[in-house]
Amino acid sequence: MPSMNNAAERVRRELLIRVIRGELDGTLDQEIDRIPIVMRPSDQPASRCCIYKDRAVLKYRLMGILGFGVEDETDEAKPLREYLAEARLRREPPKEVLSVAPVACYGCIESHYVITNACRACFARPCTFSCPKQAITVGPKQAEIDHSKCIDCGKCTTVCPYKAIIRVPIPCEEACPTGAIRKDESGREWINFDTCISCGKCLKACPFSAVLERSQIIEVIRAMKEGRRVVAMVAPAIIGQFPATLEQLAEGLRKAGFSDMLEVASGAELTARNEAKEFFERMERGDHLMTSSCCPAYVEAVRKLIPEMRKFVSATPSPMGYSGRLAKERDPECVTVFIGPCVAKRKEACSDPNVDYVMTFEELGALFAAREINLGTLEGLKLEREADPYARGFGAGCGVTAAILHEMSAGEGQTPPKIDGKLINPLDRKNMRLLKLHALGKLPGNFLEVMACEGGCVGGPCALVDAEKGGAAVRKLAREE
Amino acid sequence: MGNGSKLKVEICLGTTCFILGASELQDLAQYLEPELLDRVDIIGRTCLGFCKDRKFDGAPFVRLDESIVIERATVARVTEKIKAMLKEKDAE
Ligand code: FES
C-alpha cells in the first residue's frame, strides 16, 4: 500500500527539513515564525478552510518539532522563536510524546452507522427486522437510524441487500488500542496520558494530521554543534528505509554530524542471548509464560493496563538499552541517539540513563535532506563490526523469536525447554484482550513475541517505507529468506 | 509504435526525493499497464540535480525523455504524462 502519497506526511517532512536546515545554519530564529507563511502563501489555494487555518496548524506542527505539545501552550500569541529559545536550553527531553493540535482536529463526528443514498427503501426491509432496538424506520425515500436508540451493533450492515449501511469511524479512536484518545464535549480529541502507551497509531491514522509528537531534534543538533561525540544507534529496522546500504548509511551519518554508527542489532544480540537464558530459568521454576520486552508500547500497555501480565514480561533489557550501555561503556562522555521508526522509544529512553535522545527515521531523512547528503552516491564506510544476522532480524515480526531460538540451539550442553512461541501483532483491542487471557494461562503458548506495530518495528508510525517492503529488506539482511 | 525507441523514465532516488515521496515511485513498474510498461525504460537515479540550491519544494522529481521534468511526482501524475507522451510519439 503506497502510504507516501499522502499530503500530511509530506508536510511533516518538509517542515522538518526547514527547521533542521535553519538550525544548522543558525538562521532559524529569524525564519521560524515565517515558515507557515512561506509554506502557505496567500496566492495559493488552502488545503483546509482557509490559509489562516493552514498556517495555524503548521504553527502547532512546528511547536511539536521544537518539542512542545498543545498542553505546553500558555499564550496563543507566543511566537515560535520563543519556543525555540526554550528548546535550546532544555536539558530534559519532554516527558509525554503525543499531543493533538486543536485547530487541526476536525472533530470527526462520533463513530456511527449511516444509511447512504444507496438505500432504496425496499419492501423487505431486513434492516428494520435485524435491529434489536427498533432504531431503524423507513421513510418514503430511504431508511433512517434514530441515533438515540442505536447501540452500534452493526447488524443492519450485514443484512442490507444493497450494502447501503456503512459505519463511519473516527480514525484516531479506531486505531488506538487502549481507548486513550477521546472527545471532549466540544468534539475535539484529547489524549488521556494515564492510558496512552505512546504507540503512535493515532499519529498515523489521523487524516487531518492533527496528532503530533514532541521531537528532540533541536537537542540533537545542539549536541552536534557543541562538538560532542554523538553516537547514532540505528534500529535494525533501518535497512530498506533509505536507498542505501548499511555502509553508505554509516558514511552518511558521519557526514550528517554523528561520530559513529552503532547497530542496535549489536544490543539485540545480548537481548536474544539473555532472554533465551531467562526463558530457560523461568520455565525451570515453573512459569507458564514469558513475553518479549523490546517493544516499549507493549511494555507500557502491560504497566498501565494489563497488570496480570506484569510478572511474565522479560526483565532482559531491550536492544536499545544494551546498545546505550555499550556506547557509554566505550565513552561515558558521548551523547547517544537512538534512531528508529518508533514513537514509544521516546518514552522508554526517558527512563534509560544510557539513551540521551531519540530520533525517528523520518527525522533522520530530513537531516540528510537538509545537509544535502545523497546516500546513493557515497562509497560507504566499512562497518567496525558486523552484527549477528539473527539480531539484525529484530525489526520484523517473528525476528525476536527466531533470534532466541537460534540462541537456544547454540546453548552449551543443556537441553533447552520446549518453546511454543506465538506472535502477537499488531497491538489492537482484540490482542489486548488476548494478552489478558494468555496471562491468566487460558491460551496455549509459553513464549509471546509482542509487537505493537503491524509487521513489527518496520511498520512503525515513523517509518519511511511501507511495512511489507521494510520487512522484506530486514529479513533479507537477517538471511531468513 | 513501440519500435526500438522506448520512453526514458528517470526516477530520482536521491535522498531528498526519496523521503519526499519517491520511495513510492520506485514501484512505478508495478502500477503501469503491461502495454505501457513495454514501451518505457524505467531507470532509478541518485539525484537528478534539481534539488540543488535548496530547492526541494518540487521533490520528488521524475524526468521523461531527458526533457520533461515532473515536479511533486506521484504514480498517477507520472502515468498520465507517460500516456500523453506516447500518444504524441504515435502521432508523429
Ligand atoms: S534528490 Fe532528487 S533531485 Fe536531488
Side-chain angles (χ1 to χ4, degrees), chain A residues 374, chain B residues 11-18 22 45-52 55 59-61:
Chain A
N374 221 328
Chain B
I11 297 174
C12 181
L13 295 179
T15 308
T16 303
C17 286
F18 190 82
R45 292 268 185 245
T46 42
C47 191
L48 291 169
F50 301 119
C51 67
K52 287 282 135 56
K55 286 198 219 70
F61 296 97

Side-chain angles (χ1 to χ4, degrees), chain A residues 164-481:
Chain A
I165 310 176
I166 56 166
R167 180 165 172 274
V168 183
I170 299 180
C172 60
E173 292 188 8
E174 191 93 344
C176 177
T178 68
I181 191 161
R182 279 266 167 262
K183 288 182 172 307
D184 62 11
E185 312 76 59
S186 73
R188 62 159 284 228
E189 301 285 339
W190 285 95
I191 296 170
N192 174 358
F193 292 108
D194 292 335
T195 49
C196 172
I197 56 169
S198 305
C199 64
K201 287 181 197 284
C202 53
L203 181 90
K204 209 173 170 182
C206 174
F208 281 86
S209 201
V211 185
L212 39 99
E213 60 169 333
R214 295 171 173 85
S215 168
Q216 300 163 12
I217 191 73
I218 297 294
E219 285 97 323
V220 174
I221 296 176
R222 180 184 64 207
M224 288 174 173
K225 283 185 151 181
E226 285 170 354
R228 309 273 304 268
R229 258 195 75 220
V230 186
V231 179
M233 307 196 295
V234 297
I238 199 165
I239 197 69
Q241 296 291 318
F242 294 92
T245 60
L246 275 177
E247 288 77 9
Q248 285 172 319
L249 276 166
E251 187 177 350
L253 285 162
R254 180 82 58 90
K255 284 193 150 61
F258 294 95
S259 59
D260 322 77
M261 175 177 97
L262 175 66
E263 274 188 80
V264 170
S266 325
E269 290 172 20
L270 297 170
T271 301
R273 191 164 316 145
N274 293 328
E275 214 161 284
K277 243 188 247 152
E278 189 187 357
F279 179 72
F280 191 89
E281 285 160 14
R282 282 177 179 253
M283 291 301 117
E284 281 278 87
R285 80 174 187 218
D287 280 12
H288 77 274
L289 183 69
M290 185 178 103
T291 82
S292 62
S293 62
C294 46
C295 171
Y298 163 63
V299 173
E300 274 291 274
V302 170
R303 195 173 68 81
K304 290 182 170 171
L305 299 151
I306 324 176
E308 305 87 329
M309 190 59 104
R310 276 182 211 151
K311 57 178 185 287
F312 300 119
V313 177
S314 157
T316 304
S318 73
M320 175 176 91
Y322 276 123
S323 302
R325 236 186 251 182
L326 287 172
K328 294 275 183 182
E329 266 164 23
R330 243 187 265 166
D331 176 8
E333 292 305 307
C334 76
V335 175
T336 48
V337 182
F338 174 85
I339 305 176
C342 183
V343 171
K345 278 287 180 207
R346 294 196 197 275
K347 206 63 195 177
E348 185 188 334
C350 279
S351 50
D352 187 334
N354 294 323
V355 182
D356 297 309
Y357 301 113
V358 172
M359 261 173 86
T360 63
F361 290 153
E362 203 165 51
E363 290 166 343
L364 177 62
L367 176 61
F368 285 142
R371 292 236 197 224
E372 297 192 10
I373 295 166
N374 221 328
L375 298 169
T377 55
L378 302 178
E379 282 278 305
L381 290 180
K382 196 169 156 359
L383 300 186
E384 212 182 292
R385 171 179 180 280
E386 296 270 348
D388 185 272
Y390 282 98
R392 282 176 170 170
F394 258 61
C398 288
V400 179
T401 314
I404 288 177
L405 278 174
H406 172 72
E407 282 301 333
M408 299 217 312
S409 62
E412 325 76 55
Q414 317 154 303
T415 22
K418 269 213 169 48
I419 183 166
D420 178 12
K422 302 265 182 270
L423 176 68
I424 306 279
N425 175 259
L427 201 57
D428 53 17
R429 282 181 213 191
K430 190 187 113 235
N431 279 335
M432 288 286 288
R433 283 193 296 273
L434 274 191
L435 283 167
K436 249 188 202 134
L437 295 176
H438 272 292
L440 298 172
K442 299 203 166 135
L443 292 172
N446 59 9
F447 179 75
L448 302 180
E449 172 178 342
V450 192
M451 294 276 184
C453 295
E454 185 99 53
C457 305
V458 289
C462 302
L464 291 169
V465 305
D466 69 58
E468 225 170 276
K469 226 189 278 170
V474 167
R475 276 188 288 269
K476 192 167 160 222
L477 192 70
R479 283 185 231 142
E480 282 172 26
E481 285 177 350

Side-chain angles (χ1 to χ4, degrees), chain A residues 2 4-5 10 13-14 17-18 21 25 241-243 362 365-366 368-369 372-377 464-465 469, chain B residues 13-16 18-21 23-24 26-27 31 46-47 51-54 56-60 72 74-75:
Chain A
M4 245 29 85
N5 194 5
R10 196 196 151 92
R13 292 175 193 173
E14 202 175 322
I17 298 177
R18 287 181 189 272
R21 202 170 70 183
D25 289 357
Q241 296 291 318
F242 294 92
E362 203 165 51
F368 285 142
E372 297 192 10
I373 295 166
N374 221 328
L375 298 169
T377 55
L464 291 169
V465 305
K469 226 189 278 170
Chain B
L13 295 179
T15 308
T16 303
F18 190 82
I19 74 150
L20 290 175
S23 57
E24 180 214 338
Q26 276 189 110
D27 302 329
Y31 296 102
T46 42
C47 191
C51 67
K52 287 282 135 56
D53 309 318
R54 311 187 145 192
F56 60 79
D57 293 26
R72 293 206 174 209
T74 58
V75 170

Side-chain angles (χ1 to χ4, degrees), chain A residues 114-122 141-143 160-166:
Chain A
V114 177
I115 301 187
T116 65
N117 59 7
C119 171
R120 310 293 307 272
C122 68
K141 289 226 181 82
Q142 70 172 60
C160 173
Y162 295 104
K163 308 248 178 297
I165 310 176
I166 56 166

